[in-house]
Amino acid sequence: MTRHFDLAEVSRRELNQALHDASDGESFEVVNPRGAHAVACGITAALDVVVRGSVGYYCAGMHQRGRVLVEGNASTGLAENIMSGLVHITGNATMSAGATGCGGLVVVGGNAGARCGISMKGVDLVVGGNVGHMSAFMAQAGNLVVCGDAAADLGDSIYEAQIFVRGDVESLGADCIEKEMRPEHLETLSRLLAAASPVGEGVDVSDFRRYGSARRLYNFTIDDVDALEAA
Amino acid sequence: MCGIVGLFCKTETHRHELGRLTAVMLREMRDRGPDSAGFASYDQGEAGRTRITVLAEGIEVDWGPVAAALEGVLGAEVTVRAVHDHVVFSTDGDGRAARQWIIDNVAGATVLSYGSQIELYKAVGDPDLVADRYDLASRTGTHALAHTRMATESAVTTNGSHPFATGADTCLVHNGSLSNHNRLRRFLEGHGESFQTENDSEVAAGYLSWRIRSGNTITQALEGALDDLDGFYTFAIGVADGFAILRDPIACKPAVVAETDDWVAMSSEYRAIARLPGAADAEVWEPEPARIYTWSLAA
């Protein structure tokens, strides 16, 4: 049985408390979010949550296990620090989607704004459209898949995450370079696109290019200043 | 922090409720800026007639003789009406000259705006109460801007509140901070702009006023701003016949835009837009850094 929460009637705090108290396998439907912040934050059980409408900041922050599906757009910090599970929005996300995520999968059906995947630490991100500037900034682990274009300074100061972009890259950030696409990368890409369905359906993995760290800035010395300035 | 909102009615459909919808948006931004608030609204005005909105907070002035003196200076009829601690002059004379005369001759008064379409109100206090006091909800017109302020680096005063307007029908609200405003203020003062506060956002308004007075379109003025303003900003800008949005190239101050056939709305947060009629079906996106967005009544 699906439990129903109308945020025009009950508070966001009541919703989140119910989600925190719920057990594996329960499902929830949330209506009238009207841009509220911190909707469905801090879930730890394997729940199935559907939010009908657009949400504000930090939706599904610190998410673990289960699924949050938002039928709409999301503002700053979607699924920030996600640990596991799936957060999927059908619309656009503004700044810092998936920031600092340690695991799990974040899917943005439309475009994601600036600094998508900033400081990602193991999360996988699949964006159906474009990403804004400085996406995957200081990314440490995980995969960022962009089915559209990437704006300026992609992967600036990146560590070990992998970035896959199907369209144009306006520019790469410091220490981010294009890398060879080997069979294991195509396999990763296929797996992520399948997991992000319906986003990425019908997309040909051979259209993507791969980007990652040149590893020149791990331990910065003044001798490496050219690597910074070249970017 | 600070919250900003802007609403531009592309069609007639919502112009009769411009103020009510702007008040709904402003209310949602209360907790981004509970210290003070302000709004500017643009109506069709009367051709050739300029209104000058003046803040007269904490001063006792007999406005009849002031209007009479201003008539002498402008060589044109001047009427005046009070709205709480604001007064609105109306004249067929030169608005820019009237603004400067009031600044120079009415001690303690601050000219908030002048133009044929704009009126501008601001006050310290809860944004809802500010909207109520100056009856934002009853305003009609084509577009409006509003701001809620959370002061972080200067005192909570009415003069530190937004919007800012220094030129004819040119007005902005700002979330962010500028770092080169002192130098820029001196430059603009040398080019005919006058300022009434130490506020960085007033300098940004003065910059646009100077550009537009020099013959720039709003797009050209904002292209110049990208080169000449140093700092963080998300701006919503009103001009006589249009509405614009600009974010700095780093774009860390939030902004979201929604557009339907009838309106364009921008805000710091989507929740300010969520309650507008048709919002659920609007196209919603985050404006890109360093990209100029404009909408014109002429279009």
Side-chain angles (χ1 to χ4, degrees):
Chain A
M1 191 186 78
T2 299
R3 292 171 65 186
H4 183 84
F5 281 77
D6 183 346
L7 288 182
E9 305 289 332
V10 302
S11 73
R12 184 258 332 266
R13 193 173 288 264
E14 281 176 72
L15 165 69
N16 284 347
Q17 191 63 54
L19 294 172
H20 299 166
D21 295 341
S23 308
D24 286 3
E26 289 192 55
S27 56
F28 291 80
E29 181 191 48
V30 181
V31 298
N32 285 318
R34 293 196 289 210
H37 296 331
V39 170
C41 264
I43 290 175
T44 54
L47 310 179
D48 189 59
V49 180
V50 177
V51 181
R52 303 199 196 282
S54 293
V55 293
Y57 292 7
Y58 305 113
C59 176
M62 303 173 287
H63 182 74
Q64 294 183 42
R65 308 167 70 215
R67 178 187 80 143
V68 174
L69 170 68
V70 177
E71 294 175 349
N73 305 302
S75 299
T76 303
L78 172 71
E80 189 187 57
N81 214 55
I82 180 175
M83 302 302 287
S84 61
L86 169 66
V87 175
H88 184 144
I89 71 165
T90 58
N92 301 325
T94 63
M95 292 189 274
S96 306
T100 74
C102 293
L105 174 65
V106 179
V107 180
V108 176
N111 300 318
R115 296 173 284 273
C116 175
I118 181 173
S119 197
M120 52 194 277
K121 297 178 175 72
V123 66
D124 292 322
L125 282 148
V126 178
V127 178
N130 308 324
V131 294
H133 70 290
M134 290 205 116
S135 286
F137 177 54
M138 296 189 81
Q140 291 145 56
N143 299 286
L144 170 62
V145 178
V146 182
C147 296
D149 302 331
D153 295 326
L154 178 69
D156 193 279
S157 305
I158 187 173
Y159 293 85
E160 284 306 313
Q162 301 193 100
I163 306 172
F164 302 94
V165 183
R166 180 160 167 253
D168 297 330
V169 173
E170 187 179 336
S171 66
L172 294 172
D175 211 32
C176 185
I177 55 170
E178 184 170 356
K179 296 189 163 185
E180 182 193 1
M181 183 80 90
R182 295 194 298 270
E184 66 264 35
H185 304 124
L186 291 171
E187 204 173 294
T188 300
L189 197 47
S190 299
R191 175 175 59 78
L192 291 172
L193 287 170
S197 173
V199 174
E201 259 173 25
V203 171
D204 186 346
V205 292
S206 66
D207 292 343
F208 285 80
R209 299 166 81 159
R210 182 172 76 101
Y211 305 88
S213 177
R215 304 190 175 101
R216 288 171 303 183
L217 293 177
Y218 271 44
N219 298 295
F220 184 75
T221 69
I222 194 62
D223 298 332
D224 294 325
V225 72
D226 289 348
L228 260 184
E229 289 178 348
Chain B
M1 207 127 96
C2 298
I4 63 180
V5 304
L7 179 62
F8 180 76
C9 297
K10 293 156 69 176
T11 64
E12 285 290 340
T13 312
H14 297 294
R15 288 179 185 171
H16 68 282
E17 55 178 352
L18 172 76
R20 187 183 70 76
L21 297 176
T22 305
V24 165
M25 297 180 77
L26 183 67
R27 175 173 304 133
E28 288 295 320
M29 292 297 96
R30 269 171 87 188
D31 51 1
R32 289 188 69 91
D35 296 338
S36 63
F39 63 86
S41 64
Y42 291 77
D43 55 36
Q44 303 292 334
E46 268 181 76
R49 192 97 185 154
T50 297
R51 276 167 290 167
I52 304 119
T53 313
V54 175
L55 171 67
E57 187 184 30
I59 57 172
E60 290 293 328
V61 176
D62 186 357
W63 294 104
V66 173
L70 191 51
E71 282 185 345
V73 172
L74 300 176
E77 185 219 356
V78 176
T79 62
V80 63
R81 64 186 156 90
V83 185
H84 295 278
D85 55 356
H86 290 50
V87 286
V88 182
F89 293 92
S90 175
T91 181
D92 294 333
D94 178 25
R96 184 170 152 82
R99 172 183 184 269
Q100 195 59 50
W101 185 87
I102 295 166
I103 292 171
D104 293 341
N105 292 281
V106 185
T110 305
V111 179
L112 299 181
S113 69
Y114 74 93
S116 61
Q117 300 180 26
I118 190 173
E119 288 187 25
L120 198 161
Y121 298 87
K122 58 174 74 170
V124 169
D126 182 286
D128 264 1
L129 298 180
V130 174
D132 283 349
R133 188 186 310 155
Y134 305 106
D135 202 11
L136 170 58
S138 73
R139 300 205 155 258
T140 61
T142 49
H143 48 306
L145 305 173
H147 185 272
T148 62
R149 179 164 186 247
M150 182 180 287
T152 53
E153 293 176 44
S154 57
V156 178
T157 61
T158 305
N159 271 331
S161 309
H162 300 222
F164 284 101
T166 68
D169 286 317
T170 304
C171 166
L172 67 75
V173 287
H174 175 200
N175 182 8
S177 60
L178 301 179
S179 45
N180 65 338
H181 61 101
N182 285 325
R183 190 168 53 76
L184 197 55
R185 186 186 294 106
R186 284 195 295 276
F187 168 84
L188 292 168
E189 283 170 344
H191 288 76
E193 289 300 315
S194 65
F195 297 93
Q196 301 171 88
T197 76
E198 296 297 309
N199 191 285
D200 57 335
S201 309
E202 188 190 21
V203 174
Y207 179 86
L208 297 181
S209 300
W210 166 64
R211 285 276 184 184
I212 287 170
R213 190 162 49 81
S214 308
N216 279 189
T217 63
I218 184 63
T219 300
Q220 290 166 330
L222 292 173
E223 284 167 356
L226 281 168
D227 287 336
D228 293 336
L229 300 184
D230 185 11
F232 296 114
Y233 49 86
T234 290
F235 292 133
I237 297 139
V239 291
D241 63 347
F243 176 66
I245 297 165
L246 181 67
R247 303 174 81 196
D248 68 73
I250 304 293
C252 33
K253 293 300 178 183
V256 60
V257 181
E259 184 165 8
T260 69
D261 289 343
D262 290 321
W263 50 259
V264 175
M266 83 81 62
S267 179
S268 303
E269 297 181 22
Y270 175 74
R271 61 192 162 121
I273 293 168
R275 290 163 192 270
L276 295 177
D281 300 318
E283 186 190 355
V284 181
W285 77 96
E286 178 174 8
E288 290 176 24
R291 180 166 161 192
I292 297 163
Y293 296 86
T294 62
W295 290 266
S296 171
L297 288 172

